[in-house]
Each structure stands twice: as C-alpha cells, then as structure tokens.
Amino acid sequence: DTAVSQTPKYLVTQMGNDKSIKCEQNLGHDTMYWYKQDSKKFLKIMFSYNNKELIINETVPNRFSPKSPDKAHLNLHINSLELGDSAVYFCASSQYLGGRNEQFFGPGTRLTVL
Amino acid sequence: AQRVTQPEKLLSVFKGAPVELKCNYSYSGSPELFWYVQYSRQRLQLLLRHISRESIKGFTADLNKGETSFHLKKPFAQEEDSAMYYCALGGNAGGTSYGKLTFGQGTILTVHP
C-alpha cells in the first residue's frame, strides 16, 4: 500500500543517453512534484503538476521533460544525459486544498551518469 | 523570493542532551513552514508543520514571525533521532508559488551514545 512509488530505484547510464523515471501515487492527490537532491544533499524543486497541468517549472534545462498522463502519474524524461545530472530524484504529491501543502515523497531514484 | 536558511550543516549531541536545529526564512506573504526528516537512504517524511502545533517524536517547533524563525527542538535527544533534517517553506495557492516547497540546505544531526 505504498503511497508514492518511483521506478527505477537505481539508474546507471552513460552520458548522452535518454532515460525516464516513473512516479505513481495512490493517495488521490491532485498535485505532483519532482525534486532533485544533489551530492551535497541540497533539495530543489524542478516541476509541479496540478491535475495534469504544469504549474511550476523552475530553471531546469529543457532536456528534462515531465509528462503527466493522469493525475496519479508524473514521469520524468531526460534527454542527452550529462554528468551533472547525477543526483537523487524525488517525486512527491499533495492535495493542495485549503492552503495545506503537506507533501508525501517517494523513495527516490538514484541516477548515476558515467 | 522565498528563502530558507539552516545555518548548521552538521550538529552533534550526546544522547539525552537537548537539541535545537535552527531555521530562518524569508517570505513576503504568510508563511507555511514544515520540518521534514530523512533517515539514512530513506525517503523524506514530514515531521512537523507549524499550523498543527503538535509534538512528534518529542520534537516541537514554534513559528516566530518577529524573528522569522522556525527552530526545531527536542529536550532529550535519542540515538534514533540521527538523520538529515530539512526546514521547508511553502508558497501560497495561486501564482507561480502554487504548491512550491523551498527547502533549506539541511542539517545532519548525529546523536552519540
């Protein structure tokens, strides 16, 4: 009964490749997010979708393209991977109703670009 | 612009000692503040949110708007409290800050036996 799940858990790939990370939530939330945690453990938002609509798009290279087929899923596709993309990527979800913004996080996907 | 500062990257205490993890924020609107905890190689979990004014695992945090702070405190630290702690600031509904959480740099707490 995992609330927010991500696949894969680990991803090791070569520079220049294209890869995707999938996220699913079964909490019935209307908003989903992608965060990047770098090697210094700094956590920064990348994207946010509300009811399949892009709401937040921080200054992220356009090699990163999120896709939300429905409000329970938010996938992240990365083109032409670079060494600097190595990080842990966390998906999160929330029900943004009444001003409460409690976010539930997935287990993370550790991406290593060689 | 939203900003969260956690001045201590590392904090070490002994078991049974009091612990305080500092968090200061900068936000022009009405802030919504949270503490998240990340145990070793696990997902982030919500620890506290300021609107509920609750105590979880013995931790408390009070929002001080005058000092723009939301420090996390526990009177008697336990070894199982060792983890990374993030202070986070939530934006208001509407506009570009909708649902956005801005995290501080994180504080690694180590509780020694």
Side-chain angles (χ1 to χ4, degrees), chain A residues 32-86:
Chain A
M32 296 184 73
Y33 313 81
W34 277 110
Y35 289 87
K36 179 180 180 180
Q37 186 182 46
D38 63 22
S39 58
K40 295 183 179 178
K41 304 291 188 183
F42 187 64
L43 199 62
K44 185 171 167 59
I45 191 166
M46 301 173 69
F47 301 102
S48 170
Y49 271 74
N50 174 259
N51 284 318
K52 304 193 298 176
E53 184 182 340
L54 181 65
I55 299 296
I56 295 172
N57 184 351
E58 293 291 289
T59 49
V60 177
N62 58 15
R63 297 182 295 105
F64 289 79
S65 52
K67 283 188 173 51
S68 182
D70 55 62
K71 70 176 191 177
H73 296 83
L74 180 61
N75 304 322
L76 184 65
H77 188 77
I78 316 169
N79 288 326
S80 303
L81 278 155
E82 300 178 356
L83 294 176
D85 297 332
S86 295

